[in-house]
Protein backbone atom coordinates (compact mmCIF):
# COMPACT_ATOMS: atom_id res chain seq x y z
CA UNK A 1 0.00 0.00 0.00
CA UNK A 2 2.03 2.91 -1.29
CA UNK A 3 2.41 5.98 0.92
CA UNK A 4 -0.11 4.88 3.56
CA UNK A 5 -0.12 6.65 6.95
CA UNK A 6 1.74 5.25 9.91
CA UNK A 7 4.60 3.88 7.90
CA UNK A 8 7.44 5.25 5.76
CA UNK A 9 7.41 2.21 3.58
CA UNK A 10 6.38 3.93 0.39
CA UNK A 11 7.55 0.90 -1.56
CA UNK A 12 4.27 -0.98 -1.07
CA UNK A 13 3.10 -3.22 -3.89
CA UNK A 14 1.56 -1.56 -6.92
CA UNK A 15 -1.82 -3.25 -6.32
CA UNK A 16 -2.28 -1.51 -2.94
CA UNK A 17 -1.42 -4.61 -0.88
CA UNK A 18 0.59 -4.26 2.33
CA UNK A 19 4.14 -5.52 1.79
CA UNK A 20 5.67 -7.39 4.76
CA UNK A 21 9.33 -8.35 5.03
CA UNK A 22 9.60 -11.44 7.27
CA UNK A 23 13.05 -12.57 8.53
CA UNK A 24 12.62 -16.15 9.80
CA UNK A 25 15.15 -17.88 12.12
CA UNK A 26 15.69 -20.94 9.95
CA UNK A 27 14.19 -24.42 9.51
CA UNK A 28 15.75 -26.10 12.57
CA UNK A 29 12.70 -27.83 14.00
CA UNK A 30 9.19 -29.09 13.40
CA UNK A 31 7.98 -26.05 15.29
CA UNK A 32 9.77 -23.68 12.89
CA UNK A 33 8.37 -25.45 9.84
CA UNK A 34 4.83 -25.13 11.23
CA UNK A 35 5.46 -21.47 12.10
CA UNK A 36 6.71 -20.68 8.57
CA UNK A 37 3.65 -22.40 7.08
CA UNK A 38 1.34 -20.41 9.36
CA UNK A 39 2.95 -17.09 8.37
CA UNK A 40 2.96 -17.86 4.64
CA UNK A 41 -0.63 -19.17 4.55
CA UNK A 42 -1.94 -16.31 6.70
CA UNK A 43 -0.26 -13.70 4.47
CA UNK A 44 -1.98 -15.22 1.45
CA UNK A 45 -5.41 -15.25 3.06
CA UNK A 46 -4.94 -11.75 4.50
CA UNK A 47 -3.91 -10.32 1.13
CA UNK A 48 -0.48 -9.34 2.45
CA UNK A 49 2.43 -9.50 -0.01
CA UNK A 50 5.13 -11.47 1.87
CA UNK A 51 8.89 -11.21 1.31
CA UNK A 52 10.37 -14.16 3.24
CA UNK A 53 13.95 -15.07 4.23
CA UNK A 54 15.45 -18.06 6.11
CA UNK A 55 18.53 -17.08 8.15
CA UNK A 56 19.73 -20.65 8.79
CA UNK A 57 19.87 -19.73 12.50
CA UNK A 58 22.50 -17.01 11.90
CA UNK A 59 21.93 -13.53 13.32
CA UNK A 60 24.04 -11.88 10.61
CA UNK A 61 21.71 -13.32 7.97
CA UNK A 62 18.64 -11.96 9.76
CA UNK A 63 20.24 -8.52 10.02
CA UNK A 64 21.10 -8.64 6.28
CA UNK A 65 17.49 -9.57 5.48
CA UNK A 66 16.10 -6.72 7.60
CA UNK A 67 18.45 -4.26 5.86
CA UNK A 68 17.30 -5.52 2.50
CA UNK A 69 13.64 -5.02 3.50
CA UNK A 70 14.52 -1.45 4.55
CA UNK A 71 16.14 -0.88 1.13
CA UNK A 72 13.02 -2.24 -0.56
CA UNK A 73 10.92 0.16 1.53
CA UNK A 74 8.46 -2.52 2.69
CA UNK A 75 5.46 -1.36 4.72
CA UNK A 76 6.23 -3.46 7.78
CA UNK A 77 9.00 -5.79 9.01
CA UNK A 78 8.37 -8.84 11.20
CA UNK A 79 10.97 -11.26 12.56
CA UNK A 80 11.73 -13.87 15.20
CA UNK A 81 15.14 -12.85 16.67
CA UNK A 82 17.36 -15.94 16.73
CA UNK A 83 19.09 -14.55 19.86
CA UNK A 84 18.04 -11.81 22.30
CA UNK A 85 20.98 -9.40 21.92
CA UNK A 86 22.56 -7.31 19.14
CA UNK A 87 19.50 -5.82 17.42
CA UNK A 88 19.51 -2.11 18.39
CA UNK A 89 21.55 -0.87 15.42
CA UNK A 90 19.42 -2.46 12.71
CA UNK A 91 16.17 -1.69 14.54
CA UNK A 92 17.23 1.96 14.70
CA UNK A 93 17.84 1.86 10.94
CA UNK A 94 14.27 0.56 10.45
CA UNK A 95 12.90 3.30 12.73
CA UNK A 96 14.87 5.99 10.86
CA UNK A 97 13.36 4.63 7.65
CA UNK A 98 9.93 4.91 9.34
CA UNK A 99 9.23 1.21 8.83
CA UNK A 100 7.38 -0.34 11.80
CA UNK A 101 8.76 -3.62 13.22
CA UNK A 102 6.80 -6.46 14.84
CA UNK A 103 8.58 -9.11 16.96
CA UNK A 104 7.04 -12.55 16.62
CA UNK A 105 7.88 -15.72 18.57
CA UNK A 106 11.11 -14.61 20.26
CA UNK A 107 12.04 -11.40 22.12
CA UNK A 108 15.00 -9.00 22.01
CA UNK A 109 16.73 -7.55 25.10
CA UNK A 110 16.72 -3.95 23.75
CA UNK A 111 15.97 -1.46 26.54
CA UNK A 112 14.33 0.88 24.01
CA UNK A 113 10.83 -0.55 23.55
CA UNK A 114 10.07 2.05 20.89
CA UNK A 115 12.26 0.05 18.49
CA UNK A 116 9.33 -2.26 17.80
CA UNK A 117 5.54 -1.87 17.84
CA UNK A 118 4.57 -5.12 19.58
CA UNK A 119 5.85 -8.59 20.60
CA UNK A 120 3.59 -11.53 19.68
CA UNK A 121 4.59 -14.89 21.15
CA UNK A 122 4.60 -17.32 24.06
CA UNK A 123 5.64 -16.67 27.66
CA UNK A 124 8.66 -18.98 27.80
CA UNK A 125 9.26 -18.49 31.53
CA UNK A 126 5.70 -19.73 32.10
CA UNK A 127 6.40 -22.73 29.87
CA UNK A 128 9.47 -23.59 31.97
CA UNK A 129 7.45 -23.26 35.18
CA UNK A 130 4.76 -25.60 33.84
CA UNK A 131 7.46 -28.18 33.04
CA UNK A 132 8.96 -27.83 36.52
CA UNK A 133 5.60 -28.01 38.28
CA UNK A 134 4.71 -31.27 36.53
CA UNK A 135 7.99 -32.79 37.77
CA UNK A 136 7.44 -31.55 41.34
CA UNK A 137 3.95 -33.06 41.30
CA UNK A 138 5.27 -36.38 39.95
CA UNK A 139 7.75 -36.73 42.81
CA UNK A 140 5.66 -35.20 45.61
CA UNK A 141 5.67 -38.45 47.65
CA UNK A 142 9.32 -39.30 46.96
CA UNK A 143 12.39 -38.74 49.19
CA UNK A 144 15.34 -39.72 46.95
CA UNK A 145 17.49 -37.30 44.97
CA UNK A 146 16.21 -36.75 41.41
CA UNK A 147 19.00 -36.35 38.84
CA UNK A 148 17.96 -34.09 35.96
CA UNK A 149 19.77 -33.41 32.68
CA UNK A 150 18.71 -30.44 30.56
CA UNK A 151 18.93 -30.00 26.78
CA UNK A 152 18.87 -26.24 26.28
CA UNK A 153 17.72 -24.44 23.15
CA UNK A 154 19.93 -22.18 21.02
CA UNK A 155 22.43 -20.37 23.23
CA UNK A 156 21.34 -16.76 23.84
CA UNK A 157 17.83 -17.26 22.52
CA UNK A 158 14.83 -16.08 24.55
CA UNK A 159 13.20 -19.56 24.68
CA UNK A 160 16.43 -21.15 25.94
CA UNK A 161 17.06 -18.48 28.57
CA UNK A 162 13.48 -18.29 29.80
CA UNK A 163 12.55 -22.00 29.71
CA UNK A 164 15.66 -22.66 31.80
CA UNK A 165 14.81 -19.82 34.20
CA UNK A 166 11.18 -20.90 34.70
CA UNK A 167 12.02 -24.58 35.16
CA UNK A 168 14.89 -24.01 37.59
CA UNK A 169 12.83 -21.44 39.55
CA UNK A 170 10.30 -24.19 40.36
CA UNK A 171 12.54 -27.22 40.91
CA UNK A 172 15.20 -25.35 42.92
CA UNK A 173 12.63 -24.95 45.71
CA UNK A 174 13.15 -28.65 46.56
CA UNK A 175 16.77 -29.76 47.26
CA UNK A 176 16.00 -33.29 46.01
CA UNK A 177 15.98 -31.99 42.43
CA UNK A 178 19.49 -31.69 41.03
CA UNK A 179 20.28 -30.46 37.50
CA UNK A 180 23.45 -32.55 37.10
CA UNK A 181 24.16 -31.52 33.48
CA UNK A 182 22.84 -28.82 31.14
CA UNK A 183 23.98 -28.08 27.59
CA UNK A 184 22.63 -26.63 24.36
CA UNK A 185 21.29 -28.97 21.70
CA UNK A 186 20.49 -25.95 19.48
CA UNK A 187 16.83 -27.03 19.12
CA UNK A 188 17.78 -29.79 16.63
CA UNK A 189 17.31 -33.60 16.76
CA UNK A 190 20.90 -34.31 15.68
CA UNK A 191 22.46 -32.15 18.37
CA UNK A 192 19.96 -33.36 20.96
CA UNK A 193 21.00 -36.96 20.28
CA UNK A 194 24.72 -36.10 20.36
CA UNK A 195 24.52 -34.23 23.68
CA UNK A 196 22.28 -36.88 25.28
CA UNK A 197 24.83 -39.57 24.30
CA UNK A 198 27.47 -37.54 26.15
CA UNK A 199 25.17 -37.07 29.17
CA UNK A 200 24.55 -40.84 29.32
CA UNK A 201 28.28 -41.65 29.14
CA UNK A 202 29.16 -39.16 31.91
CA UNK A 203 26.21 -39.76 34.27
CA UNK A 204 25.36 -43.35 35.33
CA UNK A 205 22.12 -42.28 37.06
CA UNK A 206 19.81 -39.96 35.11
CA UNK A 207 16.18 -39.89 36.27
CA UNK A 208 14.77 -37.05 34.15
CA UNK A 209 15.51 -35.22 30.88
CA UNK A 210 14.09 -31.71 30.44
CA UNK A 211 14.36 -30.80 26.73
CA UNK A 212 13.55 -27.23 25.60
CA UNK A 213 11.88 -28.61 22.46
CA UNK A 214 10.46 -31.82 20.98
CA UNK A 215 13.14 -32.14 18.30
CA UNK A 216 15.92 -32.40 20.89
CA UNK A 217 13.77 -34.78 22.96
CA UNK A 218 13.28 -37.03 19.91
CA UNK A 219 17.04 -37.06 19.27
CA UNK A 220 17.61 -37.87 22.95
CA UNK A 221 15.16 -40.79 22.73
CA UNK A 222 17.40 -42.33 20.05
CA UNK A 223 20.40 -41.93 22.36
CA UNK A 224 18.55 -43.39 25.37
CA UNK A 225 17.39 -46.42 23.36
CA UNK A 226 20.90 -46.77 21.93
CA UNK A 227 22.18 -47.01 25.50
CA UNK A 228 19.74 -49.87 26.18
CA UNK A 229 17.44 -47.79 28.41
CA UNK A 230 13.70 -47.24 28.10
CA UNK A 231 12.65 -43.60 27.47
CA UNK A 232 9.63 -42.56 29.54
CA UNK A 233 10.39 -45.32 32.05
CA UNK A 234 14.12 -45.45 32.98
CA UNK A 235 14.36 -41.75 32.14
CA UNK A 236 11.26 -39.54 32.29
CA UNK A 237 11.23 -36.92 29.52
CA UNK A 238 9.62 -33.48 29.72
CA UNK A 239 9.53 -31.49 26.49
CA UNK A 240 8.14 -28.27 24.99
CA UNK A 241 6.33 -27.49 21.71
CA UNK A 242 3.76 -30.34 21.12
CA UNK A 243 4.54 -30.79 17.40
CA UNK A 244 3.19 -33.96 15.81
CA UNK A 245 6.24 -36.20 16.28
CA UNK A 246 6.58 -35.08 19.89
CA UNK A 247 2.91 -35.77 20.58
CA UNK A 248 3.22 -39.21 18.96
CA UNK A 249 6.19 -40.05 21.21
CA UNK A 250 4.12 -38.81 24.17
CA UNK A 251 1.16 -40.98 23.18
CA UNK A 252 3.59 -43.92 22.81
CA UNK A 253 4.89 -43.33 26.35
CA UNK A 254 8.45 -42.38 25.30
CA UNK A 255 7.93 -38.76 26.40
CA UNK A 256 6.18 -38.21 29.75
CA UNK A 257 4.80 -34.65 29.50
CA UNK A 258 4.77 -31.84 26.92
CA UNK A 259 4.23 -28.12 27.42
CA UNK A 260 2.61 -26.66 24.31
CA UNK A 261 4.18 -23.72 22.47
CA UNK A 262 1.95 -22.70 19.58
CA UNK A 263 3.65 -21.93 16.23
CA UNK A 264 0.35 -20.81 14.68
CA UNK A 265 1.12 -17.09 14.98
CA UNK A 266 0.31 -16.17 11.37
CA UNK A 267 -3.30 -14.94 11.69
CA UNK A 268 -2.56 -12.67 14.68
CA UNK A 269 0.62 -11.41 13.00
CA UNK A 270 -1.28 -10.30 9.89
CA UNK A 271 -4.00 -8.59 11.97
CA UNK A 272 -1.35 -6.72 13.95
CA UNK A 273 0.54 -5.77 10.77
CA UNK A 274 -2.54 -4.23 9.17
CA UNK A 275 -3.24 -2.17 12.29
CA UNK A 276 0.39 -1.05 12.62
CA UNK A 277 0.63 0.02 8.97
CA UNK A 278 -2.56 2.07 9.39
CA UNK A 279 -0.97 3.72 12.42
CA UNK A 280 -3.52 2.22 14.79
CA UNK A 281 -2.63 1.45 18.42
CA UNK A 282 -1.70 -2.18 19.19
CA UNK A 283 -0.87 -3.83 22.55
CA UNK A 284 2.86 -3.82 23.47
CA UNK A 285 2.64 -7.55 24.16
CA UNK A 286 0.35 -10.29 22.78
CA UNK A 287 0.80 -13.61 24.60
CA UNK A 288 -0.27 -16.73 22.71
CA UNK A 289 -2.72 -19.17 24.30
CA UNK A 290 -1.32 -22.64 24.95
CA UNK A 291 -1.77 -25.67 27.20
CA UNK A 292 0.01 -28.86 28.35
CA UNK A 293 -0.39 -32.54 27.45
CA UNK A 294 -0.16 -35.79 29.39
CA UNK A 295 0.08 -39.13 27.58
CA UNK A 296 -3.69 -39.66 27.69
CA UNK A 297 -4.40 -36.10 26.50
CA UNK A 298 -1.96 -36.59 23.60
CA UNK A 299 -3.82 -39.69 22.42
CA UNK A 300 -7.09 -37.71 22.38
CA UNK A 301 -5.57 -34.60 20.75
CA UNK A 302 -3.44 -36.23 18.02
CA UNK A 303 -6.18 -36.87 15.44
CA UNK A 304 -7.21 -33.18 15.41
CA UNK A 305 -3.76 -31.56 15.49
CA UNK A 306 -2.91 -29.17 12.62
CA UNK A 307 0.89 -29.72 12.85
C1 LIG B 1 9.64 -21.10 20.53
C2 LIG B 1 10.52 -21.22 19.31
C3 LIG B 1 11.46 -22.38 19.47
C4 LIG B 1 10.73 -23.72 19.53
C5 LIG B 1 11.74 -24.59 18.87
O1 LIG B 1 8.70 -20.10 20.35
O2 LIG B 1 11.29 -20.04 19.14
O3 LIG B 1 12.32 -22.43 18.33
O4 LIG B 1 10.42 -24.13 20.83
C6 LIG B 1 12.15 -23.70 17.71
O5 LIG B 1 11.25 -25.83 18.44
O6 LIG B 1 13.30 -24.15 17.10
Amino acid sequence: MAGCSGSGGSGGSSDGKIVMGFAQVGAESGWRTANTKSVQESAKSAGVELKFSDAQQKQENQIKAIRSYIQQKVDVIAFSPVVESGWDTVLNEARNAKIPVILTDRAVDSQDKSLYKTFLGSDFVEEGKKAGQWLVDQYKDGTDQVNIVQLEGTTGSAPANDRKEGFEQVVSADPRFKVIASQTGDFTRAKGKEVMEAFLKANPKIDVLYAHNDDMALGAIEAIEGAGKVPGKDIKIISVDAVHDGMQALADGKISFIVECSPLLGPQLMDLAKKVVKGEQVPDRVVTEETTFTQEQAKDALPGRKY
Side-chain angles (χ1 to χ4, degrees):
M1 190 184 294
C4 55
S5 66
S7 91
S10 55
S13 66
S14 52
D15 57 5
K17 277 186 172 184
I18 287 177
V19 180
M20 172 186 282
F22 189 94
Q24 180 59 292
V25 165
E28 73 283 358
S29 61
W31 189 98
R32 190 64 54 197
T33 307
N35 178 246
T36 291
K37 189 162 172 268
S38 174
V39 169
Q40 290 175 333
E41 287 178 354
S42 303
K44 215 172 279 159
S45 45
V48 169
E49 184 184 324
L50 185 71
K51 294 177 183 295
F52 182 90
S53 63
D54 170 337
Q56 281 132 26
Q57 287 191 281
K58 290 186 175 54
Q59 180 174 29
E60 64 268 21
N61 291 345
Q62 279 194 301
I63 291 174
K64 266 191 215 128
I66 292 170
R67 286 194 167 126
S68 140
Y69 297 144
I70 294 171
Q71 290 304 317
Q72 297 174 63
K73 296 186 173 20
V74 298
D75 296 308
V76 59
I77 291 169
F79 78 114
S80 167
V82 60
V83 292
E84 287 193 279
S85 309
W87 300 101
D88 286 29
T89 302
V90 73
L91 292 179
N92 265 300
E93 291 166 19
R95 181 169 55 183
N96 295 341
K98 295 190 176 44
I99 299 176
V101 174
I102 295 175
L103 297 186
T104 162
D105 170 29
R106 296 185 185 178
V108 298
D109 60 9
S110 305
Q111 297 309 307
D112 181 355
K113 303 291 180 211
S114 72
L115 287 171
Y116 52 91
K117 293 296 181 188
T118 183
F119 166 36
L120 161 64
S122 304
D123 179 339
F124 301 129
V125 174
E126 201 47 43
E127 290 173 347
K129 285 181 179 173
K130 288 177 187 173
Q133 191 54 53
W134 179 83
L135 193 59
V136 166
D137 295 345
Q138 286 301 303
Y139 283 89
K140 66 181 181 313
D141 304 329
T143 52
D144 300 342
Q145 177 168 312
V146 180
N147 289 342
I148 303 163
V149 294
Q150 181 173 212
L151 283 171
E152 300 179 19
T154 301
T155 303
S157 69
N161 293 337
D162 293 353
R163 285 172 185 166
K164 179 182 170 81
E165 180 192 325
F167 179 78
E168 292 181 356
Q169 225 177 68
V170 171
V171 301
S172 61
D174 182 332
R176 289 179 300 148
F177 295 110
K178 293 263 179 277
V179 178
I180 58 173
S182 190
Q183 195 179 324
T184 182
D186 210 18
F187 283 132
T188 68
R189 282 195 197 200
K191 200 87 176 95
K193 178 180 179 185
E194 186 190 310
V195 175
M196 190 66 200
E197 282 165 348
F199 284 165
L200 287 159
K201 282 200 185 80
N203 303 280
K205 186 179 179 297
I206 298 172
D207 301 302
V208 176
L209 162 65
Y210 170 45
H212 290 184
N213 84 329
D214 291 343
D215 292 74
M216 294 190 292
L218 292 161
I221 285 170
E222 289 177 47
I224 292 167
E225 290 174 332
K229 293 178 185 269
V230 181
K233 297 220 172 356
D234 299 332
I235 298 177
K236 288 194 189 312
I237 301 179
I238 307 166
S239 184
V240 186
D241 276 353
V243 295
H244 180 273
D245 292 354
M247 291 285 273
Q248 190 58 61
L250 176 58
D252 297 343
K254 294 188 177 183
I255 291 180
S256 313
F257 184 69
I258 296 186
V259 177
E260 185 184 38
C261 175
S262 176
L264 305 180
L265 304 176
Q268 287 173 290
L269 173 60
M270 297 309 151
D271 288 349
L272 287 164
K274 287 184 173 177
K275 289 193 169 85
V276 156
V277 168
K278 275 190 245 159
E280 290 174 12
Q281 277 305 311
V282 292
D284 295 341
R285 179 80 173 89
V286 180
V287 182
T288 33
E289 312 253 318
E290 47 206 32
T291 183
T292 58
F293 292 97
T294 61
Q295 288 174 4
E296 284 317 307
Q297 289 165 338
K299 286 176 190 161
D300 295 342
L302 260 170
R305 294 286 286 174
K306 290 184 188 157
Y307 58 92

